[in-house]
Amino acid sequence: MSLDRLAPAIFVLLWSTGWVVAKYAAIHSEPFTFLAVRYAFSGLAFLGLCVAMRAAWPGKAVAFRAVYSGVFLHGFYLGGLWWAIANGVPAGVSGIIAALQPLLTAMAAPLLIGERLQGTQRAGLVLGFLGIAIAISPKLLDPATADLGHAAVPLAINLIAMCSVTYGTLYQKKHLQTGNLLPIATLQYVGALIITLPLMLSFERMHFDGSAQAIAALIWSVLGLSMGGVGLLLYLIRRGQVSRAASLIYLMPPTVALEAFVAFGEPLTLPLILGTIVVVTGVYLTNRPPRVVPLREQLQ
């Protein structure tokens, strides 16, 4: 099987583990501190690959665009998301906000990059969002999530983070379609550090306890998420429609729930199972190749 067929499934499996990693990392480190260390090691790892593979580095214009895209794809996105969850945004509500990204991408793509979806693809995006709502509805109805007044600022930051990754994804598609992805990924982590280091120095005590769990979470964050997951995301954006790549985000909450069931014994609810079926249907419709109209039909 080609990488084009395997990449979406591998991306979902890798990216979904980020929620599990975040659960462990929050116990052992402050969010900006952990992310700054992760970005630094990820950038160095990609730099090592560039040197080993003798990758051609882009010119100044493309290099600037790579750094700029990293500010939004990594810096503002993960920084805002981790900070919001650490400051009171419930996981269920954060899941709904995360599920807005494919819809935001589909709505912004025609304006920013001229990408338009067919009717079945638009229907798939809506189905994906409905499936997420069904899957996490028990969490939204939990009394613990009823009063969100105390989390108004974290909620706003969470929403800004989603807008940030949406913009970063579209910018990547429009301005970074050529050039070796390894140097581009390296420079994107430079952009992420430009945002995250000042936040760490300004608002945190730079706590990282160095425990085995913290080190394991960091290693997987660098190798599995930053190199594997992000590398595949950049590949998917370059190879196909950006709205199709973004629609894979819909699969994250159900996949995380399955992983939590295996790893922690958390129950699988009926809404989760039904919502997952709807989500998979929606992602299939969004990613199904468009029908090629024969020339004879076009001329009729």
Side-chain angles (χ1 to χ4, degrees):
M1 297 180 68
S2 67
L3 180 59
D4 285 349
R5 291 182 177 273
L6 291 174
I10 298 173
F11 167 73
V12 170
L13 289 174
L14 291 177
W15 201 255
S16 64
T17 62
W19 297 85
V20 178
V21 169
K23 179 177 179 179
Y24 286 113
I27 302 172
H28 304 283
S29 175
E30 293 170 294
F32 296 139
T33 299
F34 186 91
L35 289 174
V37 176
R38 169 181 166 178
Y39 295 152
F41 278 109
S42 299
L44 289 173
F46 271 111
L47 178 61
L49 282 178
C50 291
V51 173
M53 301 185 69
R54 299 181 179 179
W57 285 82
K60 290 183 179 179
V62 176
F64 171 80
R65 290 170 181 165
V67 172
Y68 179 78
S69 67
V71 167
F72 295 92
L73 274 176
H74 305 313
F76 283 133
Y77 168 51
L78 285 179
L81 185 64
W82 278 51
W83 185 90
I85 292 175
N87 285 273
V89 174
V93 176
S94 183
I96 279 287
I97 295 174
L100 290 174
Q101 187 202 339
L103 289 177
L104 289 174
T105 302
M107 289 187 293
L111 299 175
L112 296 180
I113 61 175
E115 177 181 289
R116 300 188 181 279
L117 298 180
Q118 294 184 339
T120 55
Q121 293 175 310
R122 290 194 292 269
L125 286 168
V126 174
L127 270 180
F129 180 76
L130 291 176
I132 290 296
I134 293 170
I136 69 173
S137 58
K139 294 183 180 180
L140 293 177
L141 298 175
D142 192 315
T145 67
D147 181 16
L148 293 175
H150 64 284
V153 173
L155 275 172
I157 296 298
N158 204 153
L159 284 167
I160 292 172
M162 285 303 105
C163 294
S164 173
V165 72
T166 300
Y167 173 73
T169 301
L170 292 168
Y171 186 90
Q172 170 87 20
K173 179 66 175 181
K174 183 175 182 179
H175 296 289
L176 295 169
Q177 278 295 94
T178 59
N180 193 304
L181 281 176
L182 292 178
I184 288 174
T186 304
L187 293 167
Q188 284 177 331
Y189 283 113
V190 173
L193 281 170
I194 290 173
I195 295 299
T196 309
L197 281 176
L199 292 172
M200 178 190 73
L201 295 173
S202 300
F203 299 107
E204 295 183 348
R205 296 178 292 106
M206 291 177 280
H207 169 68
F208 184 89
D209 65 16
S211 64
Q213 293 88 344
I215 298 298
L218 179 61
I219 291 174
W220 180 249
S221 292
V222 172
L223 299 180
L225 295 172
S226 292
M227 299 193 71
V230 172
L232 282 173
L233 176 61
L234 299 181
Y235 175 83
L236 290 168
I237 292 172
R238 178 171 290 188
R239 295 287 292 179
Q241 284 182 303
V242 66
S243 298
R244 291 180 181 176
S247 72
L248 296 173
I249 302 299
Y250 280 146
L251 293 173
M252 298 306 162
T255 305
V256 171
L258 291 173
E259 292 171 356
F261 170 73
V262 174
F264 310 117
E266 296 182 5
L268 294 175
T269 64
L270 180 60
L272 175 64
I273 297 171
L274 294 176
T276 299
I277 294 172
V278 176
V279 164
V280 171
T281 303
V283 173
Y284 167 75
L285 290 175
T286 305
N287 286 273
R288 188 173 63 176
R291 175 177 176 266
V292 179
V293 180
L295 180 61
R296 184 172 59 182
E297 292 185 19
Q298 296 180 30
L299 297 176
Q300 288 178 351

